[in-house]
Amino acid sequence: MRKKIAAGNWKMHLTSDQAQALVSEVVNMYHNEYHGDAEVIFAPSYPFLSQIHHLVKDVDKVHLSAQNLHEAEQGAYTGEVSASQLTSVGVTHVIIGHSERRQYQQESNALLASKIDIALAHGLTPIYCIGETLEQREAGNTLDVIRTQMTDGCFHLDAEAFGKLIIAYEPVWAIGTGVTASPDQAQEVHAFIRQLIRDKYGAQVADDCSILYGGSVKPSNAAELFAMADIDGGLVGGAALKSRDFTDIIKAL
Ligand code: PGA
């Protein structure tokens, strides 16, 4: 079933104390102020996963995500983290293919396909990120880029496996820039993504897939984005670092 989701991608921000304080504040506000059925996902840096797990493990509809994982089961990969290491500390979700990793670590669609495979093999829910750069948008290539990222990154899966994915559309030009895609711009791409899924896997799988929007989501624009037919929530960076803002974004769901 399609879920409404607010995911906070903290990137390389916060220290241990700050991370725990942020989660405690959001969980408190979520309980006191929100009575809907949206799910919340926190994606802290690796060192805090275990601590945050203890804070959220008994909280209904609140989940823990890593920001990345390695595609191998285990081995001599200094500095990397495996799927089984993540599940061993209570992680349930993992962001795969964030544009910052595509850009700075040269992660290709083919590599991301293997990361999705290892995540699924260990029961982790991938949050697979796709999105075009400003250059690609201005050249009129947005939908082609999206099609390739979907085809090469996750359309090798069978329908059952694909049904476990969360997709996040994040136009690169909107990430961390303060410039948000307009609701119509975002909806156009979300509808296209859902149509690609429909063509590949059929109507039921497409209708059930949660497709999140990311890129400068804030309390002031969340409601109008989330009101669009094919936008099922947000992958939030900067605004997820402030408990008041992130809670207000959850409430906009
Ligand atoms: P932002 O980041 O909300 O700060 O634009 C979103 C993301 O990178 O996931």
Side-chain angles (χ1 to χ4, degrees):
M1 214 189 64
R2 204 194 293 192
K3 290 176 181 161
K4 294 177 175 191
I5 298 167
N9 172 17
W10 297 356
K11 310 191 181 188
M12 201 171 71
H13 293 294
L14 307 180
T15 58
S16 172
D17 287 351
Q18 291 167 337
Q20 292 182 70
L22 177 58
V23 168
S24 302
E25 284 167 24
V26 172
V27 168
N28 272 337
M29 290 188 205
Y30 173 75
H31 273 155
N32 294 335
E33 302 174 23
Y34 181 73
H35 307 290
D37 55 4
E39 303 202 346
V40 176
I41 301 171
F42 294 107
S45 302
Y46 291 137
F48 314 140
L49 287 168
S50 199
Q51 301 160 346
I52 305 296
H53 170 63
H54 289 291
L55 294 177
V56 303
K57 66 180 188 314
D58 298 324
V59 185
D60 195 29
K61 298 202 188 75
V62 176
H63 309 291
L64 181 62
S65 177
Q67 297 175 13
N68 176 40
L69 87 175
H70 193 270
E71 67 278 13
E73 283 287 349
Q74 59 179 342
Y77 301 104
T78 301
E80 296 291 344
V81 173
S82 73
S84 57
Q85 290 174 326
L86 294 176
T87 56
S88 74
V89 294
V91 173
T92 54
H93 293 63
V94 58
I95 297 172
I96 293 178
H98 190 279
S99 65
E100 286 151 18
R101 295 202 59 85
R102 290 178 185 264
Q103 184 183 352
Y104 303 132
Q105 270 74 34
Q106 284 79 44
E107 293 194 350
S108 66
N109 291 321
L111 173 74
L112 301 172
S114 54
K115 291 193 177 203
I116 288 175
D117 288 343
I118 194 107
L120 289 172
H122 287 267
L124 288 162
T125 300
I127 304 170
Y128 178 53
C129 302
I130 57 175
E132 81 287 0
T133 63
L134 184 59
E135 218 175 18
Q136 290 164 333
R137 173 163 283 264
E138 286 178 343
N141 293 334
T142 298
L143 301 185
D144 285 339
V145 170
I146 297 297
R147 183 188 290 106
T148 303
Q149 290 172 332
M150 290 296 287
T151 305
D152 296 355
C154 61
F155 278 175
H156 62 290
L157 299 171
D158 64 21
E160 195 195 336
F162 183 88
K164 299 187 170 132
L165 260 56
I166 297 168
I167 304 293
Y169 167 59
E170 300 204 300
V172 179
W173 47 272
I175 295 178
T177 56
V179 183
T180 317
S182 70
D184 288 336
Q185 277 176 321
Q187 167 61 22
E188 183 197 4
V189 181
H190 280 239
F192 178 73
I193 296 166
R194 206 177 297 284
Q195 186 60 47
L196 290 174
I197 300 169
R198 195 173 290 121
D199 293 346
K200 172 82 184 165
Y201 298 110
Q204 189 65 51
V205 175
D207 286 349
D208 284 350
C209 184
S210 296
I211 308 176
L212 314 184
Y213 168 80
S216 298
V217 176
K218 345 173 223 239
S220 59
N221 60 26
E224 54 177 13
L225 285 162
F226 298 162
M228 305 310 282
D230 290 294
I231 302 183
D232 305 310
L235 179 55
V236 187
L241 298 170
K242 298 187 200 109
S243 53
R244 181 70 269 161
D245 285 2
F246 191 52
T247 307
D248 286 346
I249 289 168
I250 298 167
K251 288 163 75 177
L253 283 163

